[in-house]
Structure formats: structure tokens, C-alpha cells
């Protein structure tokens, strides 16, 4: 396996610096912004680059100021602008068989390789490289950059920035979230709710099952119930749904519990998620889950162990993006791309959060989601060109 350096010498942008899209992609990929790490070096670079062009950027920090969102406006401070949204964090590369250094952009056979090339630094990089073009044009409506942190761990960063955009900026008419869609217009995505359930039982020798309560055995039944709910969703799925799978999925990803094979486990925790279509309310599934645990499983167990408990907490909650009939964002992007149709994505993104705040929103960006999170992630140079053409058309549209 290739030895990964995880770092690259980053030069500070000079006054009025200009970069090609490829050069800007190289700059952004060079920052190791895996979600567990700070993204401030990247944010500072972008802020300095924009400042060099006379554009003021605003940072919106997390609680301990180790990470930040950034938003900035190019053009007049009037309503009717367009938000270009992208997340700055990327998923880890640990244990993946990369052929190249994931944090050093590598060009080969018409592709640019590096972590975040597809998901989704290229969109933001192309837009940033277009700043001189934006400034040279007689924009009648502004373009707003919106760069977030911690999208990959539950879309945690964007809400605070969205709140400020909604209250401090002239009202934008549409938001384009540049997730990798191969420049197709995606008008809907699933939501995701991530939950952790902790089961408390009572330890006992495994031969004395009447003296204790195995938290692991209770957890197994709860996890099976989660699977049963998903099976019901599958059975009633609409065949014409734009999603795949065409129903809300419920899965358990991590289970931890017990201390030894011959001890009834006192505690068991499991992490699970609900990836729901816009028509479903995830709270309905949680209500059923809690009713099963509290009403069916716990009563007989508390005869043995009154302290037996099932506690579920919500770790992350990202709303779905629902299709908008004749939505401003969809109509705009369809006219720019020349596409007559839209599609839906089964992953979650920040688009649902923008829509929840009242903004017309779609996904549309270069690259393919099929290579996202994979070793040797890449973007085709043809997709970079397509992204450039799209943004140039958008800039021109805002001059009319």
C-alpha cells in the first residue's frame, strides 16, 4: 500500500490571485479535511483568496472554534441571488488501498485523483476559480458561496450558517448544492436520522438466566424489530418511486455489548439509522420502536431486574429534500443544463436543510457519487469542463 503523507505545502494566495479550475482543485484537495480534523486551514485559504479580490468572507465557527463554515457574496447586495453550497470535509482514507497520495492531486488518463475530487471539493474549486469571471461581469444578482464543515458526519455544520444566510443576506432565490450528480439535476434526496440505543440489563452467570437480564439478547430483538419495520416499508413501496431502494431503510451498523461469553451482559449499545423518503416521518418509526421496547420487552424483564432500561438518543437528524413543483432552483438548473427531467438521490445531503429553511434547492454538481468514499476517488476532466460551462452560463444568467 502507498505511504500516505497526509500533507502538502500550501502557498498563501497573493493579492488578486487567479487559478484555473484544476489548480484550485489541487489546492483544496491538498488540505487534509477528514471530518475528525480541523478544516480551518482550508477556510483561511479561501478567505484570503476572496479577500485578495476584495470580497469579505464570514466564518461561522463550531463551539470550540476548531472548525468553521464560510459564506461570502460576489456581486450586488440585492435579493434574487444564487447560493453555491459545498462541504469542505471528506471521509477518511484509513485502510484503503490508494495507488496515489489521496491528498496530492494526481492526473492520469483524463482523470484527477484525490480525496474529495468527486465528493465534493471540485464543485467549490471550480466556483472559486470563476471569481475573476464573476467580478468582470456586470452581475445584476449576486452569487453567494456557502462552504460547510462536518457534512460527512451528519450535516452538523451547515445549519448555523444557513441561519445566518437567512437572516443576514438579501434573500437568495435558489440554492445549488454541488454534490456529484454528473451535472444532472437532482430534485429530491432521502433524509437520515442516526440514533444510538443503550440497553441496560443485569449481569449474572450465563447458566442462571432467571437471575439476570442479558442486554445483548434484548438488543438482538430490538434490532430484529428494526429489520421488520424496513421489511414492511419494502412491501408497501411505490413501484414508480424515483428512489433506490424505493422505500425508507432502517439498518443497524454497530453493536457493542457484553464482557464475556459466560456472563449475561449488563449493557449493550447499538448505532442505527433511518434513511427516509420525503413522504415518511422518521419519528413514526421511533415511536413504534419505543412502544415495542417499553410495552413488550421491558415489562417481563423488570420483574427480574427493575433497573432494566432501553434509552434511545438521536445523534444526527438531516431532513429529506422534497421535490418542488416548478421550483425556482429546479427550473434554473434545468434551463442551464438543457435537461428535461430530474432524478432523486438515496443519500442525504445539506439540500434538505436549506429547503427546510425556506430556500428552493437542488443538487447539481460535477463528478460521480459512485466513486465517492472509495479508494482512488477521481473526477473526469470532462466533468470539470462541464462544471465550468454550467457556472459560466449561470454567471451570464445573473447579468440579465
Amino acid at each position: 500500500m502507498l505511504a500516505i503523507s497526509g500533507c502538502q505545502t500550501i502557498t498563501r494566495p497573493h493579492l488578486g490571485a487567479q487559478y484555473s479550475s484544476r489548480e484550485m482543485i489541487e489546492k483544496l484537495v491538498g488540505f487534509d479535511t477528514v471530518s475528525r480534523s480541523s478544516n480551518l486551514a482550508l477556510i483561511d485559504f479561501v478567505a484570503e483568496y476572496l479577500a485578495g479580490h476584495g470580497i469579505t468572507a464570514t466564518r461561522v465557527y463550531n463551539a470550540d472554534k476548531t472548525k468553521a463554515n464560510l459564506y461570502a457574496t460576489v456581486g450586488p447586495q440585492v435579493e434574487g441571488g444564487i447560493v453555491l453550497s459545498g462541504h469542505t470535509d471528506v471521509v477518511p482514507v484509513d485502510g484503503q488501498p490508494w495507488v496515489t497520495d489521496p491528498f496530492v492531486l494526481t492526473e492520469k488518463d483524463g482523470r484527477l485523483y484525490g480525496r474529495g475530487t468527486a465528493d465534493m471539493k471540485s464543485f467549490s474549486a471550480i466556483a472559486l476559480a470563476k471569481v475573476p469571471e464573476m467580478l468582470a461581469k456586470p452581475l445584476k444578482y449576486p452569487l453567494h458561496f456557502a462552504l460547510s464543515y462536518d457534512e460527512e458526519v451528519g450535516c452538523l455544520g451547515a445549519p448555523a450558517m444557513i441561519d445566518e444566510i437567512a437572516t443576514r443576506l438579501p434573500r437568495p432565490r435558489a440554492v445549488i448544492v454541488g454534490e456529484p450528480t454528473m451535472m444532472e439535476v437532482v430534485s429530491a434526496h432521502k433524509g437520515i436520522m442516526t440514533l444510538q440505543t443503550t440497553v441496560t440489563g443485569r449481569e449474572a452467570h450465563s447458566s442462571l438466566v432467571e437471575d439476570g437480564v442479558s442486554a445483548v439478547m434484548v438488543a438482538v430483538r430490538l434490532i430484529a424489530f428494526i429489520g421488520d419495520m424496513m421489511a414492511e416499508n419494502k412491501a408497501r413501496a411505490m413501484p414508480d418511486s424515483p428512489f433506490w431502494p424505493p422505500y425508507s431503510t432502517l439498518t443497524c451498523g454497530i453493536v457493542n455489548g457484553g464482557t464475556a461469553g459466560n456472563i449475561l451482559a449488563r449493557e449493550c449499545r447499538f448505532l442505527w439509522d433511518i434513511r427516509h423518503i420525503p413522504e415518511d416521518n422518521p419519528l413514526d418509526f421511533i415511536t413504534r420502536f419505543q412502544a415495542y421496547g417499553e410495552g413488550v420487552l421491558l415489562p417481563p424483564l423488570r420483574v427480574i431486574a427493575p433497573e432494566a432500561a432501553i434509552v434511545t438518543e438521536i445523534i444526527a437528524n438531516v431532513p429529506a429534500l422534497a421535490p418542488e413543483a416548478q421550483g425556482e432552483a429546479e427550473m434554473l438548473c434545468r434551463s442551464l443544463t438543457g435537461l428535461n427531467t430530474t432524478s432523486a438521490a438515496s443519500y442525504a445531503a445539506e439540500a434538505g436543510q436549506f429547503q427546510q429553511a425556506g430556500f428552493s434547492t437542488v443538487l447539481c454538481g460535477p463528478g460521480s457519487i459512485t466513486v465517492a468514499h472509495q479508494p482512488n476517488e477521481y473526477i473526469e476532466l470532462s466533468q470539470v469542463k462541464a462544471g465550468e460551462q454550467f457556472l459560466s452560463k449561470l454567471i451570464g444568467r445573473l447579468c440579465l
Side-chain angles (χ1 to χ4, degrees):
M1 184 182 297
L2 178 80
I4 295 173
S5 67
C7 63
Q8 180 181 354
T9 301
I10 306 295
T11 55
R12 297 178 65 177
H14 58 78
L15 185 67
Q18 297 191 29
Y19 298 98
S20 67
S21 294
R22 187 199 183 285
E23 290 169 336
M24 188 60 81
I25 294 170
E26 183 175 23
K27 292 291 184 183
L28 299 193
V29 168
F31 293 98
D32 178 356
T33 53
V34 170
S35 302
R36 63 179 173 237
S37 305
S38 173
N39 73 332
L40 291 183
L42 184 152
I43 291 296
D44 290 345
F45 170 83
V46 172
E48 290 180 19
Y49 166 73
L50 293 174
H53 290 280
I55 301 164
T56 300
T58 301
R59 297 171 177 83
V60 183
Y61 290 95
N62 65 347
D64 58 10
K65 293 194 174 183
T66 57
K67 298 180 181 182
N69 303 301
L70 176 149
Y71 64 91
T73 300
V74 183
Q77 291 286 343
V78 298
E79 294 187 354
I82 307 298
V83 176
L84 303 176
S85 169
H87 62 82
T88 63
D89 60 318
V90 296
V91 297
V93 299
D94 308 60
Q96 293 187 336
W98 282 79
V99 175
T100 63
D101 188 325
F103 299 106
V104 176
L105 192 72
T106 303
E107 182 176 346
K108 183 179 180 181
D109 299 328
R111 296 172 174 174
L112 299 177
Y113 289 87
R115 176 57 89 217
T117 48
D119 187 18
M120 56 169 292
K121 289 182 175 180
S122 289
F123 174 78
S124 298
I126 295 168
L128 287 167
K130 289 285 183 182
V131 165
E133 181 179 335
M134 297 173 189
L135 293 172
K137 298 284 186 176
L139 290 174
K140 293 184 178 180
Y141 302 96
L143 284 158
H144 307 284
F145 287 94
L147 306 182
S148 66
Y149 67 87
D150 280 359
E151 189 270 354
E152 296 289 4
V153 291
C155 298
L156 304 180
M161 175 177 61
I162 293 171
D163 286 345
E164 291 207 8
I165 290 173
T167 57
R168 297 189 178 185
L169 296 184
R171 187 74 179 177
R173 73 170 185 258
V175 177
I176 302 171
V177 179
E179 290 283 351
T181 67
M182 295 295 286
M183 296 310 302
E184 295 181 359
V185 183
V186 174
S187 61
H189 68 63
K190 289 186 177 182
I192 181 172
M193 183 174 283
T194 304
L195 307 104
Q196 179 176 271
T197 296
T198 301
V199 181
T200 301
R202 176 183 289 179
E203 288 177 324
H205 194 285
S206 62
S207 67
L208 302 173
V209 294
E210 298 293 337
D211 294 344
V213 170
S214 170
V216 169
M217 297 296 288
V218 176
V220 167
R221 295 182 67 183
L222 288 167
I223 293 169
F225 185 78
I226 291 171
D228 291 342
M229 287 193 290
M230 182 170 68
E232 292 176 9
N233 294 342
K234 182 177 181 179
R236 62 180 175 84
M238 300 299 292
D240 59 347
S241 171
F243 293 100
W244 183 256
Y247 53 88
S248 296
T249 60
L250 297 89
T251 60
C252 176
I254 299 176
V255 182
N256 289 299
T259 54
N262 59 356
I263 301 175
L264 299 183
R266 185 183 63 84
E267 184 176 274
C268 183
R269 293 182 180 179
F270 58 92
L271 197 69
W272 55 294
D273 70 30
I274 305 168
R275 293 181 178 268
H276 57 96
I277 59 177
E279 297 83 356
D280 286 346
N281 185 343
L283 295 178
D284 292 340
F285 299 114
I286 297 173
T287 298
R288 290 183 59 193
F289 176 83
Q290 291 176 325
Y292 176 68
E294 292 288 337
V296 177
L297 297 184
L298 283 181
L301 300 179
R302 283 177 170 161
V303 174
I304 301 171
E307 70 273 23
I310 300 170
V311 177
T312 298
E313 58 181 317
I314 297 173
I315 305 300
N317 183 15
V318 181
L321 174 68
E324 303 168 6
Q326 301 298 308
E328 182 76 39
E330 177 185 330
M331 300 302 291
L332 171 66
C333 289
R334 282 174 55 186
S335 68
L336 293 173
T337 60
L339 297 173
N340 294 322
T341 60
T342 62
S343 57
S346 291
Y347 54 82
E350 294 167 338
Q353 295 173 322
F354 277 100
Q355 186 182 65
Q356 190 176 63
F359 297 107
S360 178
T361 309
V362 293
L363 305 175
C364 186
S368 172
I369 194 65
T370 61
V371 298
H373 300 194
Q374 302 296 313
N376 306 311
E377 179 184 350
Y378 66 85
I379 187 171
E380 301 277 358
L381 287 172
S382 60
Q383 279 290 295
V384 175
K385 183 177 181 180
E388 291 173 333
Q389 293 172 340
F390 174 85
L391 285 167
S392 288
K393 289 181 181 179
L394 175 60
I395 293 168
R397 184 69 58 85
L398 296 181
C399 294
L400 300 177

